[in-house]
Amino acid sequence: MTGDERALLRAVGRLARRPGAERRRLVGQLTVTQKRTLDEFWPAWAHEGQLPPAGAWPTWLMVTGRGFGKTRAGAEWVSALARSNGDLRIALVGATLEDARKVMVSGRSGLLAVARTGERPRFAATNGIVTFASGARAFLYSGACPEKLRGPEHHFAWCDELAKWRRPEETWDNLQLGLRLGAAPRTLVTTTPRTVPLLKRLVAASVVTRGRTADNLNLPDAAVARMEAEFRGTRKGREELDGELIEDFEGALWTRALIERSRQSRTLPRDWRRIVVGVDPPASAEGDACGIVACAVDRGGMGFVLGDHSVRGLSPEGWARKAVAAAEAWGADCVVVEKNQGGDMATSVLKTADPALPVRPVHARFGKGDRAEPVAMLFETGQAYFAGAFPELEDELCAMIRGGGYAGSRSPDRADAMVWAMTELMLAPVRGEPRIRRL
């Protein structure tokens, strides 16, 4: 690195550490030439998730939220390869040829936009070939036409939005069979997540970069705030903003589609017929969470999940205080607590936390999955809804398998607490209880 480059790196580094709005203001004061010089010096502007990982990886998988900077990272990676070797043949695979052209080549962060002064690539739209100043060439392909990749050979490949490809498995396999030029072929995959088998397969076999929309400090704060306000907590928000790969399990009692369909956005009633807090105590403070979920039924008989107040790592006295606080906050009629775990201890600690608390201990005669099936039917038939987004609870519900199984990595304590509350509200005999008054 030259002395001028080191000085530029220090200058850009100082800018990059400024808050987003201030950084954009300072950059806005630069001349066009100065902006171009700064923008072309990619190592200084890239955030950590946009730089290639170390090591001899064959596949780098970038699974992130929108706006993270995936396209810029891909275009800069390909440009650097082409700059270093004029003999390279590089595959560019988009969901469609039109997507590959508009995003990977001609887009705001595509290959043409990130080219340095004096090395602008030439793009022949008729045959889908990008020719770089060095002589290296990149060829456009579509994830809908895997046969086009049967035969051509490449040194490297950049695959964009793989989760949107119409024929992902065939396209990927043909691409990999053609990556046989050079000593170390490599593939970069940039995509927002969707639960497709190929993406799950690549996660297990690749070097993976994950990131959120909010990680890109160059995005306008107002735009990020607007997206967060609209999609935070929903499946779309978790995938498109947080870059989470959310799995659907075969035979699940709740699917992601069912949960989204059951999410209630209208104004909730003020006068509930009944409110219940379900509690699923943990076996120990170091292990599972204490499930604490508030549910209600309105005057028309519709059930609603109101709040997930579950906690982890607290003593019995600690989670009992949290359960009492949830009951008081919602003005609950009673707290339903499973007594299988620790016998009457759960009831005792709750009564110690608040002697006036109406507590109904319940005994589990069936497994968690079996108890959950009738409650899942309430959501399937439009009798129960989620009054908001509850990501951790929803993950547990979607891992409960019809027939009594559970596919999650942790005990479904939140889900079990919700099931107890909903069962008390909608599947048990009608009861009359004094409601807990808010403090």
Side-chain angles (χ1 to χ4, degrees):
M1 184 180 291
T2 66
D4 288 342
E5 287 177 329
R6 283 193 292 269
L8 182 59
L9 179 62
R10 288 193 296 271
V12 176
R14 288 193 296 271
L15 270 178
R17 288 191 293 271
R18 300 290 184 90
E22 183 180 356
R23 183 173 65 253
R24 288 189 292 273
R25 180 181 61 79
L26 292 172
V27 171
Q29 295 174 356
L30 302 177
T31 66
V32 173
T33 301
Q34 289 172 329
K35 287 181 183 178
R36 183 71 180 178
T37 301
L38 288 173
D39 194 51
E40 290 179 2
F41 198 51
W42 173 241
W45 284 111
H47 58 74
E48 185 177 354
Q50 292 175 300
L51 297 176
W57 45 268
T59 305
W60 172 22
L61 177 61
M62 187 181 291
V63 186
T64 72
R66 291 196 191 186
F68 177 81
K70 299 185 295 297
T71 304
R72 178 71 185 265
E76 291 284 359
W77 181 71
V78 169
S79 297
L81 291 172
R83 193 175 296 123
S84 67
N85 185 345
D87 294 327
L88 293 184
R89 295 172 60 91
I90 303 167
L92 304 176
V93 189
T96 66
L97 285 176
E98 184 74 359
D99 288 344
R101 181 185 67 80
K102 285 186 174 181
V103 177
M104 304 172 79
V105 177
S106 304
R108 186 175 179 182
S109 300
L111 292 168
L112 301 184
V114 306
R116 294 179 180 176
T117 302
E119 63 174 29
R120 183 173 178 82
R122 300 189 310 276
F123 176 52
T126 54
N127 55 13
I129 298 177
V130 180
T131 304
F132 296 89
S134 66
R137 292 187 295 168
F139 304 84
L140 271 63
Y141 300 96
S142 164
C145 301
E147 294 304 315
K148 295 292 186 180
L149 280 159
R150 186 183 294 276
E153 296 178 302
H154 306 94
H155 296 84
F156 298 95
W158 172 24
C159 303
D160 190 50
E161 293 299 351
L162 176 145
K164 290 172 54 181
W165 290 4
R166 188 178 304 169
R167 299 172 66 182
E169 300 280 354
E170 295 172 80
T171 303
W172 177 262
D173 290 344
N174 281 344
L175 171 67
Q176 295 304 307
L177 289 169
L179 278 176
R180 50 181 183 261
L181 298 180
R186 287 182 163 186
T187 305
L188 166 60
V189 178
T190 54
T191 188
T192 46
R194 287 184 183 176
T195 308
V196 296
L198 176 58
L199 190 54
K200 291 163 61 177
R201 180 178 123 200
L202 292 181
V203 167
S206 309
V207 174
V208 182
T209 294
R210 296 186 182 276
R212 304 172 303 132
T213 300
D215 293 338
N216 188 348
L217 299 179
N218 293 311
L219 293 176
D221 297 336
V224 175
R226 176 180 54 77
M227 290 187 287
E228 291 274 353
E230 186 169 355
F231 298 112
R232 170 57 54 208
T234 65
R235 176 172 185 159
K236 180 178 285 291
R238 294 175 67 186
E239 288 180 335
E240 302 284 345
L241 300 183
D242 295 336
E244 289 189 42
L245 182 60
I246 302 175
E247 189 169 3
D248 283 314
F249 297 102
E250 186 175 354
L253 291 173
W254 280 265
T255 64
R256 301 291 175 177
L258 172 60
I259 286 177
E260 293 303 327
R261 191 167 68 244
S262 303
R263 205 180 302 284
Q264 184 60 254
S265 58
R266 65 181 175 85
T267 303
L268 296 174
R270 295 177 177 270
D271 184 23
W272 298 101
R273 191 171 78 194
R274 291 191 69 206
I275 301 174
V276 168
V277 172
V279 176
D280 183 42
S284 68
E286 292 76 28
D288 301 326
C290 175
I292 305 172
V293 178
C295 298
V297 62
D298 67 13
R299 295 293 176 184
M302 295 292 182
F304 293 83
V305 179
L306 299 180
D308 180 5
H309 304 274
S310 304
V311 292
R312 188 181 300 278
L314 296 185
S315 65
E317 293 74 16
W319 59 251
R321 287 193 294 269
K322 293 292 185 181
V324 169
E328 291 178 343
W330 289 107
D333 299 284
C334 72
V335 172
V336 176
V337 58
E338 182 181 335
K339 68 176 183 178
N340 293 54
Q341 202 70 267
D344 294 326
M345 180 273 292
T347 303
S348 176
V349 293
L350 285 168
K351 282 293 190 180
T352 300
D354 183 357
L357 184 72
V359 178
R360 176 168 292 113
V362 288
H363 183 78
R365 293 183 296 158
F366 307 104
K368 294 177 185 288
D370 293 325
R371 293 197 302 273
E373 287 203 37
V375 176
M377 283 296 297
L378 296 174
F379 288 86
E380 290 179 6
T381 56
Q383 299 178 69
Y385 298 88
F386 296 91
F390 311 102
E392 292 176 289
L393 168 61
E394 292 165 18
D395 287 347
E396 292 184 3
L397 293 173
C398 289
M400 302 190 85
I401 308 301
R402 200 173 303 277
Y406 182 65
S409 57
R410 284 182 167 176
S411 177
D413 304 288
R414 300 167 190 268
D416 209 28
M418 188 210 81
V419 165
W420 282 124
M422 278 292 185
T423 299
E424 171 67 19
L425 285 167
M426 303 190 70
L427 300 174
V430 177
R431 312 178 198 270
E433 291 288 343
R435 180 165 296 185
I436 299 170
R437 294 187 177 180
R438 299 172 188 257
L439 297 179

